[in-house]
């Protein structure tokens, strides 16, 4: 998982499919990132902020009770313990530092679950930048707590009322804003998607998750690597950051778990959306289909182009988890380990639980799951789901 070069291609995927007015901004960002990433002073400042402010390194936790139940050795990489409650801050601090280097005083972002919006609002407050977050109306409804968090942090949340009123439409509106405001605005994109250099740059900002996890895992297991490394994938940033620590350094099997209703790599076909060529859910005439998932962060009909490439060359495999088993996984981790995961992260766990039960994960396997975020934001939604299920049962 290296540098895709100036074209931003990962095999047949990636690229920079943007209106002409955005090409200079993408090129400026690529140059700024290349210079910063080669600059030890940039790394020193990023690492210092991620440590002193962000709470890195996050630990890995071996799940004793769950491991016994499953017949595995299960470890979690605890991004839920990072400041703001998910991996999203790693990318946002990097991009906010770049915005400052480029002299841009305004950050815009799209958000689904609200975690990327919260992280962007947080970085904007930390660096004294203006912040506007685009969020679909449906997601505003199911992630109300995060909307209020963003407002408390001084950001303006703009409701997106077009299309399916979820993440895909929020990206459209953020791109539209960027076209109109490009001189003073940096688009702080939240995942390994969009036009080059975002998929590569965001993966590099998230690489810290995989690099830490590999070293921490080896320290616990006399230098061994996990048999299987699992992460959920919406746009794919926590998975890409995790996989970057293992793909070229270990023989670990890499598994990305998409939402059943947002399974770009299972049912998708190649196409162009949001500035990238990748696997997309679309109909025969190329219309993008609406994703549908209880998890706002995985409710996206595409996936980052590097994942499409990793799937095509067989270095990673991609599977799905359905809403009902995800809610069960959410509860099971809480009851057995005292950790409430984000619904997004619960997809990764749901697949592990199923694969352990069916024998797809052999007894005694060592499994590392990236727990991309904490479940506080989802408690109200899960309560409503469980009440509805109880109501149907009585
Ligand atoms: C906790 C958490 N995990 C995962 C995701 C999915 O994003 P990605 O696939 O880019 O990691 C989100 C998105 O909002 C999230 O909030």
């Amino acid at each position: 998982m290296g540098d895709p070069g100036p074209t931003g291609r990962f095999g047949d995927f990636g690229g920079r499919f943007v209106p002409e007015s955005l090409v200079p901004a993408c090129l400026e960002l690529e140059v700024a990132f290349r210079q910063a990433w080669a600059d030890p002073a940039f790394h020193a400042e990023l690492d210092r902020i991620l440590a002193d402010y962000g709470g890195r390194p996050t630990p890995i936790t071996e799940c004793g009770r769950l491991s016994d139940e499953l017949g595995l050795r299960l470890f979690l990489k605890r991004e839920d313990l990072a400041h703001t409650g998910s991996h999203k801050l790693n990318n946002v601090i990097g991009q906010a530092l770049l915005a400052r280097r480029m002299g841009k005083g305004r950050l815009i972002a799209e958000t689904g679950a609200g975690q990327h919006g919260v992280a962007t609002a947080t970085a904007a407050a930390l660096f004294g930048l203006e912040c506007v977050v685009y969020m679909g109306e449906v997601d505003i409804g199911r992630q109300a707590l995060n909307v209020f968090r963003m407002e408390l942090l001084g950001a303006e949340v703009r409701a997106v009322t077009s299309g399916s009123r979820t993440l895909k439409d929020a990206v459209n509106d953020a791109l539209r804003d960027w076209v109109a405001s490009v001189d003073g605005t940096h688009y702080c994109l939240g995942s390994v998607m969009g036009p080059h250099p975002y998929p590569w740059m965001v993966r590099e900002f998230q690489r810290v998750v995989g690099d830490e996890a590999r070293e921490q895992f080896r320290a616990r297991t006399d230098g061994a690597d996990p048999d299987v490394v699992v992460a959920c994938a919406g746009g794919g940033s926590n998975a890409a950051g995790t996989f970057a620590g293992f793909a070229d350094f270990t023989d670990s099997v890499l598994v990305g778990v998409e939402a059943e209703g947002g399974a770009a790599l299972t049912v998708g076909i190649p196409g162009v959306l949001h500035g990238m060529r990748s696997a997309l859910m679309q109909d025969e005439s190329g219309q993008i289909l609406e994703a549908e998932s209880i998890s706002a962060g995985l409710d996206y009909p595409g996936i980052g182009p590097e994942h499409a490439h990793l799937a095509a060359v067989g270095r990673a495999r991609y599977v799905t988890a359905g809403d009902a088993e995800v809610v069960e996984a959410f509860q099971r981790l809480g009851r057995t380990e005292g950790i409430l995961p984000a619904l997004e992260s619960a997809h990764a766990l749901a697949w592990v639980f199923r694969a352990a039960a069916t024998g797809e994960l052999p007894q005694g396997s060592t499994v590392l799951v990236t727990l991309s975020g904490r479940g506080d934001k989802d408690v109200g939604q899960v309560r409503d789901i469980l009440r509805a299920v109880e109501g149907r049962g009585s």
Side-chain angles (χ1 to χ4, degrees):
M1 295 178 75
D3 180 341
T7 60
R9 288 282 179 165
F10 303 95
D12 289 338
F13 302 100
R16 185 193 290 121
F17 297 87
V18 289
E20 223 163 293
S21 53
L22 284 184
V23 172
C26 289
L27 290 173
E28 179 194 18
L29 180 59
E30 183 183 347
V31 169
F33 177 64
R34 280 189 188 283
Q35 285 172 352
W37 214 228
D39 178 358
F42 181 85
H43 281 277
E45 186 169 19
L46 177 61
D47 292 351
R48 180 187 61 74
I49 296 171
L50 289 180
D52 297 353
Y53 182 77
R56 302 213 73 84
T58 58
I60 61 168
T61 299
E62 183 164 7
C63 296
R65 296 185 62 211
L66 255 182
S67 293
D68 287 347
E69 277 184 21
L70 299 169
L72 306 170
R73 268 189 92 181
L74 177 67
F75 294 79
L76 303 178
K77 175 62 174 162
R78 301 291 306 279
E79 292 303 292
D80 59 314
L81 294 178
H83 181 44
T84 72
S86 83
H87 66 297
K88 295 288 181 185
L89 194 74
N90 304 324
N91 166 44
V92 162
I93 295 291
Q95 289 200 45
L97 284 172
L98 280 185
R100 202 174 65 182
R101 266 169 101 102
M102 291 186 291
K104 309 222 173 185
R106 179 171 179 262
L107 292 182
I108 57 170
E110 83 296 334
T111 199
Q115 286 302 109
H116 175 59
V118 167
T120 307
T122 298
L126 182 66
F127 290 103
L129 305 169
E130 193 189 329
C131 182
V132 172
V133 179
Y134 290 90
M135 188 167 187
E137 236 180 10
V138 169
D139 294 336
I140 286 180
R142 56 185 167 180
Q143 298 290 345
L145 185 64
N146 271 346
V147 175
F148 191 49
R149 282 170 86 194
M150 288 183 259
E151 288 168 352
L152 285 173
L153 292 161
E156 179 194 343
V157 179
R158 289 196 188 157
V160 176
T161 54
S162 56
S164 56
R165 295 173 293 139
T166 58
L167 185 54
K168 163 174 75 66
D169 313 287
V171 178
N172 285 338
D173 276 23
L175 281 168
R176 228 169 268 138
D177 179 319
W178 203 28
V179 169
S181 65
V182 66
D183 283 346
T185 296
H186 172 64
Y187 179 12
C188 187
L189 220 162
S191 193
V192 287
M193 43 172 274
H196 180 57
Y198 286 102
W200 166 53
M201 177 179 75
V202 176
R203 179 250 282 162
E204 289 301 284
F205 285 142
Q206 292 292 1
R207 168 183 286 282
V208 64
V209 177
D211 284 342
E212 282 178 9
R214 183 186 66 245
E215 293 313 317
Q216 291 167 323
F217 192 92
R218 286 179 178 172
R220 293 287 190 84
T221 56
D222 293 328
D225 293 316
D227 295 322
V228 185
V229 174
V230 190
C232 68
S237 67
N238 85 89
T242 304
F243 293 175
F246 293 89
D248 300 331
F249 308 106
T250 72
D251 294 327
S252 302
V253 172
L254 308 178
V255 180
V257 186
E258 294 187 280
E260 212 163 67
L265 280 171
T266 307
V267 299
I269 48 176
V272 172
L273 178 70
H274 296 149
M276 62 181 176
R277 184 167 194 277
S278 191
L280 306 172
M281 290 166 52
Q282 49 189 314
D283 66 18
E284 295 112 39
S285 53
Q287 293 296 318
I288 300 301
L289 297 172
E290 293 194 355
E292 185 132 8
S293 165
I294 48 165
S295 146
L298 303 189
D299 210 342
Y300 183 65
I303 188 162
E306 194 168 23
H307 288 294
H309 175 62
L310 289 172
V313 298
R315 181 62 189 94
R317 60 180 287 233
Y318 294 84
V319 296
T320 62
D323 289 351
E325 62 182 334
V326 166
V327 172
E328 271 172 33
F330 178 96
Q331 297 172 86
R332 187 172 181 184
L333 189 69
R335 285 187 189 142
T336 49
E337 296 293 337
I339 301 169
L340 292 175
L343 279 175
E344 289 78 15
S345 324
H347 283 69
L349 292 164
W351 178 80
V352 169
F353 297 163
R354 179 166 18 106
T358 60
E360 191 179 348
L361 277 174
Q363 292 278 302
S365 304
T366 54
V367 180
L368 174 76
V369 173
T370 292
L371 203 77
S372 56
R374 68 177 82 128
D376 308 30
K377 69 183 176 54
D378 299 317
V379 166
Q381 194 189 347
V382 171
R383 180 198 55 207
D384 293 346
I385 291 168
L386 294 176
R387 279 192 185 154
V389 172
E390 274 168 26
R392 274 203 298 274
S394 58

